[in-house]
Amino acid sequence: MRTTSRSESESNFYTKFTNPHLTLVEFYMRFESALDAQRHTQGQFDNDSKHKHKECKTSFALEKHASKIYTVLVLNDFQEELEIGCFQCGLEEYKKENGFEIFTIREGYRIRKFDVIFNPANLDSKCICKMFERLGIPCRHMVWVWKAKMIEYIPDAYVLNRWTTLATKTPIFDLEGNILEGNEEDLTDLVKNLKGLRLNLEDKKSSNNHENNGSPSKATDIELLIATLPTEIVVKLPKISKNKGTGVHVPGTGSDKRLKCDKEKAIEQSQKKKRLCRGCGELGYHDIRNCPHKVKENCKL
């Protein structure tokens, strides 16, 4: 997994609980809810791995060993590699060099062949497909070699701790290298302090509810976590900004410069009084400067 993929995965998870418009206190509450959901999901997976044992698809000892150490999801991937390795792969060429055994494995109808270098001294296996290096799961070509060598278990070097059911049972160390689980007294004190803080908050919350004679509100919960809200809040009107090309729109101040439609122009014109034009001698909404007869004469010239 790349670094960007990991950060994108975390961002996708937390965006289900948070958004950019939350306050700091609301973000903290949502963050705690996200962690609780993550712990709950992890607990479900741990329970499934302990009490739900998936059926083995073959009678090979390698699969039985994998069903005891791998989680359910990883076991599915390993079973797929085991089936293909045992039933679709075969030996193309075999040779020995400097104490190493080199198996050339063919896979079904694929043209490409895969070399597996096997060390019988320590069961070290290397395949050119590099699946174990990429995903941490033994590939089908390595599985074929182990089956051919009558190995009944997955070598320890090819069992990554993060894919096993005991991944969450490993000890946790602090920055100084001390095991946190071994310091039971400090953990007990921490739990007591957290319980005391929780009881204190609940007492304050219940007392406020009795005073207000109502149900607890969101504002009350936030006020318990942060400082007391001020009694007077002064909010000034924002400054009116002038957008480019549109003018300042302040109704009632004579500075409304927006363009008017033809209907509005016609209504305003109908409300004006007609006057006598000295150019054409007719009553209308024009004068000698913008007389339509004058405009026609100019066009003829």
Side-chain angles (χ1 to χ4, degrees):
M1 179 180 289
R2 296 175 299 176
T3 306
T4 54
S5 301
R6 182 176 300 174
S7 61
E8 288 171 1
S9 177
E10 292 181 359
S11 299
N12 181 52
F13 172 75
Y14 286 113
T15 48
K16 298 176 183 177
F17 299 87
T18 62
N19 60 71
H21 307 290
L22 297 177
T23 62
L24 182 60
V25 177
E26 289 174 332
F27 172 78
Y28 176 76
M29 293 179 176
R30 300 283 185 89
F31 182 76
E32 287 293 324
S33 300
L35 292 183
D36 290 340
Q38 200 172 45
R39 295 188 186 103
H40 177 70
T41 304
Q42 181 64 39
Q44 284 184 326
F45 288 154
D46 291 342
N47 183 72
D48 293 343
S49 299
K50 289 179 182 178
H51 304 289
K52 294 182 179 180
H53 299 287
K54 191 176 179 181
E55 253 183 69
C56 293
K57 297 181 179 181
T58 65
S59 59
F60 300 131
L62 280 172
E63 186 179 8
K64 292 181 181 179
H65 179 239
S67 65
K68 295 178 181 178
I69 60 174
Y70 283 141
T71 61
V72 176
L73 296 178
V74 179
L75 179 61
N76 292 334
D77 296 335
F78 180 78
Q79 284 180 329
E80 180 180 356
E81 296 299 316
L82 180 72
E83 284 187 295
I84 298 176
C86 294
F87 301 112
Q88 297 185 24
C89 293
L91 182 63
E92 182 75 17
E93 185 182 353
Y94 171 80
K95 59 183 177 181
K96 288 185 177 182
E97 290 184 3
N98 301 325
F100 295 96
E101 300 180 16
I102 302 176
F103 296 82
T104 302
I105 308 298
R106 64 175 182 274
E107 180 185 337
Y109 296 100
R110 296 184 65 177
I111 299 176
R112 184 184 177 186
K113 306 298 186 296
F114 300 89
D115 292 337
V116 179
I117 302 175
F118 178 74
N119 186 355
N122 55 9
L123 306 184
D124 187 20
S125 306
K126 299 291 182 182
C127 181
I128 62 172
C129 73
K130 301 292 183 182
M131 178 178 176
F132 178 77
E133 287 77 6
R134 289 183 287 107
L135 303 179
I137 301 175
C139 66
R140 58 198 67 175
H141 317 109
M142 294 167 58
V143 170
W144 189 95
V145 173
W146 293 342
K147 177 178 173 293
K149 300 297 292 186
M150 304 298 292
I151 299 175
E152 298 183 351
Y153 62 93
I154 302 174
D156 294 338
Y158 300 96
V159 179
L160 298 186
N161 182 66
R162 67 175 181 267
W163 300 143
T164 64
T165 56
L166 300 177
T168 58
K169 305 302 180 182
T170 55
I172 302 175
F173 299 89
D174 59 13
L175 295 177
E176 298 178 355
N178 301 318
I179 300 178
L180 294 179
E181 285 80 359
N183 199 344
E184 297 181 358
E185 295 180 358
D186 294 341
L187 291 177
T188 303
D189 294 339
L190 177 61
V191 172
K192 288 182 179 179
N193 293 333
L194 291 176
K195 288 183 178 179
L197 178 61
R198 178 181 178 183
L199 294 175
N200 188 19
L201 290 174
E202 290 179 352
D203 292 339
K204 289 182 180 180
K205 186 175 180 180
S206 59
S207 61
N208 290 336
N209 292 338
H210 288 305
E211 292 177 0
N212 298 330
N213 294 325
S215 59
S217 62
K218 183 178 179 181
T220 305
D221 294 337
I222 296 176
E223 188 176 353
L224 291 174
L225 295 174
I226 60 177
T228 308
L229 294 176
T231 56
E232 183 180 358
I233 301 177
V234 180
V235 180
K236 296 182 179 180
L237 293 176
K239 293 182 179 181
I240 300 175
S241 61
K242 181 178 180 181
N243 297 329
K244 183 178 179 181
T246 59
V248 182
H249 306 304
V250 185
T253 61
S255 60
D256 192 357
K257 298 180 181 179
R258 70 177 181 84
L259 297 177
K260 298 178 182 179
C261 63
D262 295 337
K263 183 178 180 181
E264 291 176 331
K265 291 180 181 179
I267 293 174
E268 289 184 358
Q269 192 174 14
S270 64
Q271 294 175 352
K272 295 180 181 179
K273 293 182 179 180
K274 293 184 178 181
R275 52 188 176 181
L276 181 63
C277 176
R278 292 182 296 174
C280 62
E282 298 179 359
L283 289 174
Y285 300 105
H286 61 274
D287 54 18
I288 192 171
R289 294 174 300 174
N290 54 4
C291 180
H293 297 283
K294 185 178 179 182
V295 173
K296 291 180 180 178
E297 292 177 358
N298 293 335
C299 291
K300 291 180 180 179
L301 295 176

